[in-house]
Amino acid sequence: MDYKLLANEILSGVGGKENINAAWHCATRLRFKLKDESKADTQKIENLDGVVTVVKSAGQYQVVIGNAVAKVFEPLAQLADLENTDNQDTETTTNKKENIMNRFIGFISSVFTPFLGAMAGAGILKGLLALFVAIGWLTDKSGAYQIWYAAGDGFFYFLPVLLAFTAAKRLKVNQFVAVALATTLVYPTLVAISGSAQTINFFGIPVVSTTYTSSVIPILLAVWVLSYLEPVLDKVFPEAVRNIFTPLFSLMIMAPLTMIVVGPLGASVGTLLSSGVSAIYNTAPAVAGAILGAFWQVFVIFGVHWTFVPVMMNNISKLGYDPLLPILSVAVLSQAGAALGVFLKSKDKKMKSLAGSSVATAVLGITEPTIYGVTLKLKRPFICAAIAGAIGGAIAGGGQAHASSFTLPSLLALPTYLGSGFTSVIIGLAVAFILGTVLTYFFGIQRSKETLASSVVVNEKKPGNEYLAVPIEGTIIPLKNVKDEVFSSEAMGQGVAIVPTSNIVKSPVEGTISAVYPTGHAIGIISKDGAEVLIHIGIDTVELDGRYFTTLVQQNQKVTQGEAIVEFDREAVKTAGFDTTVMMIVTNTPDYNISVTPDTTTKDTQWVISLAEKNTKNETMDQGEIKHV
């Protein structure tokens, strides 16, 4: 594959280098902070050979590549001059302010991503050394063991130094001042004092005796505080002496402040997190294992899995082990098993090839190609994998399995799980993989629909069925085409999407308003016959905070079919950079079999959604024009 050509096509697809605020990559994804996401041609990018899919999550525009992501990023960085781009001020060049959660997730991912591979390698090395000692290949006194152990453990011992460097880059402060601050925390003399009965003070102020080696939260808090102090010092000192005096006073102020206040505060937060995780895990380990095993890949899809990384590393630092990592490996193996099930059952050559290669990558801990290319695309295999992960996770969790070192959850991480509960991990992994394969093989592939995640079926109108009118004039499209994974995957339920040509949203049913969102972008309705309907106007339009939306109904208000419920400024929403597609979802989908059909009983064509018994026809409809509602 020509990676430079692919990089050039992706760069063009995201709107060129002038539309990029920042860009980096993780193990499988190119991650962009774009100035204006509406300038990105998502469909063009997704159709490129070498791109698995595009995900918009955590305030990032993510292009999923797979194992070759580094080979694509290298020419991309050169073409886009990313070193200069990354230094731009995102607050002044972006149109939309991110919410706190997105900013936090983006911060965590950008801090850990640069050294994630090296960290995983160091963790596996420590696990292998434990295995070699256990089977008698090495002794912990041998020179080979001590050198290799220093290579593996040294990474985690000086982890605050690495975190300081990447966090400073993210927060745009002097990276070397941040590193100097981190080396203060792990300075041998201070570490020795903390490990002994000695106490020290700073001009009479007692310094809390705490060990910061291998810690995560204290240095991140310290660099965050530094990011506020440094600009103030830059304003105080004239440019002629700023390069010397700003670092000088930064260290003079931050070193004692970190040792006296910020560091102990971060250590206390870390202790609380570890204690909380331990309390939940110890109360019901099998339940915790089942929940994590089932939903871990859902967290990956939405990007929130990064919030677990500092928690897991903090557990290892504070407790000496982490109970979550073995369960996550189970969840990963369940996806590999589901991909194998698709490979064995699928008749589609392209899908069979993709599923086969996805098995290997998932076993090694890279699940994005498996999720977006196979299991989530076909939907049922993803559900099968979640079930298998829940059962395998319950086994691993119930056996009190734990990891002695941090690494990517995968089969390669097995040596780090040696010790208490190791047998339960082996059983959990095997059950998740085998069950994922078997469930997918027998229940995961829909006959003649293996590449159709969300079909729209044409059916005749039948007496006695409940019908929902499409709520707005425009062009109806299958839900699978919506550029939002939550809707396109039908995770919230089945329905349709409409590219609107009107500004008035009308009630699709006679019923009661069950939910009115303050931002006006969504309305919930319960029909008189019990259908729970969600009308969602636009994608990510909650960020507009109600601008351009006028709600015409109130909570618990009775409405008739066709009654206006929301008015919005479609052009203004589009100009603000948001997709205006309107989604109508039946959230209690399991109670119905849903189809889209033209109502031939009216003089002019009216599209309606039928909540009926199982359809007898299998004609698929890609799109249609709505005449009236």
Side-chain angles (χ1 to χ4, degrees), residues 140-179:
D140 58 8
K141 304 297 183 185
S142 67
Y145 176 89
Q146 293 183 49
I147 291 172
W148 275 336
Y149 189 81
D153 191 56
F155 185 99
F156 296 97
Y157 187 92
F158 294 105
L159 182 62
V161 177
L162 301 172
L163 288 171
F165 193 82
T166 55
K169 182 177 182 180
R170 169 70 178 184
L171 296 174
K172 303 191 187 320
V173 299
N174 191 311
Q175 291 171 275
F176 300 101
V177 172
V179 166

Side-chain angles (χ1 to χ4, degrees), residues 121-380:
I124 292 172
L125 177 57
K126 289 184 68 177
L128 288 173
L129 289 174
L131 176 63
F132 294 162
V133 170
I135 61 180
W137 287 6
L138 288 175
T139 68
D140 58 8
K141 304 297 183 185
S142 67
Y145 176 89
Q146 293 183 49
I147 291 172
W148 275 336
Y149 189 81
D153 191 56
F155 185 99
F156 296 97
Y157 187 92
F158 294 105
L159 182 62
V161 177
L162 301 172
L163 288 171
F165 193 82
T166 55
K169 182 177 182 180
R170 169 70 178 184
L171 296 174
K172 303 191 187 320
V173 299
N174 191 311
Q175 291 171 275
F176 300 101
V177 172
V179 166
L181 188 59
T183 56
T184 304
L185 295 179
V186 296
Y187 192 68
T189 302
L190 295 180
V191 172
I193 291 173
S194 297
S196 66
Q198 290 181 265
T199 58
I200 60 173
N201 64 76
F202 183 78
F203 293 115
I205 303 173
V207 176
V208 179
S209 181
T210 305
T211 301
Y212 296 105
T213 55
S214 303
S215 63
V216 174
I217 298 175
I219 189 59
L220 293 181
L221 281 177
V223 176
W224 177 70
V225 174
L226 178 63
S227 71
Y228 286 93
L229 174 64
E230 189 176 273
V232 174
L233 295 176
D234 280 341
K235 291 179 180 179
V236 170
F237 299 112
E239 190 172 353
V241 296
R242 186 178 299 158
N243 288 343
I244 296 174
F245 280 85
T246 294
L248 169 63
F249 280 88
S250 292
L251 289 174
M252 288 183 67
I253 295 170
M254 285 304 304
L257 184 64
T258 301
M259 298 298 294
I260 296 169
V261 180
V262 179
L265 176 62
S268 298
V269 171
T271 300
L272 285 173
L273 282 174
S274 298
S275 300
V277 170
S278 297
I280 295 171
Y281 184 81
N282 292 333
T283 301
V287 174
I291 293 172
L292 269 179
F295 291 103
W296 177 247
Q297 297 303 332
V298 177
F299 298 153
V300 171
I301 291 170
F302 290 103
V304 298
H305 62 300
W306 283 106
T307 59
F308 287 81
V309 174
V311 174
M312 293 184 289
M313 297 190 69
N314 182 72
N315 286 340
I316 292 172
S317 173
K318 296 294 182 182
L319 305 175
Y321 64 89
D322 175 67
L324 307 181
L325 281 164
I327 299 169
L328 306 188
S329 290
V330 169
V332 166
L333 263 289
S334 71
Q335 289 289 332
L340 179 59
V342 173
F343 171 78
L344 296 174
K345 187 67 176 284
S346 177
K347 299 290 192 276
D348 184 280
K349 290 183 179 180
K350 184 177 180 180
M351 178 57 67
K352 197 176 188 72
S353 174
L354 181 59
S357 62
S358 295
V359 175
T361 57
V363 165
L364 298 177
I366 308 299
T367 55
E368 277 91 340
T370 307
I371 294 171
Y372 295 115
V374 182
T375 59
L376 189 61
K377 184 176 183 179
L378 303 182
K379 194 170 61 173
R380 286 190 180 185

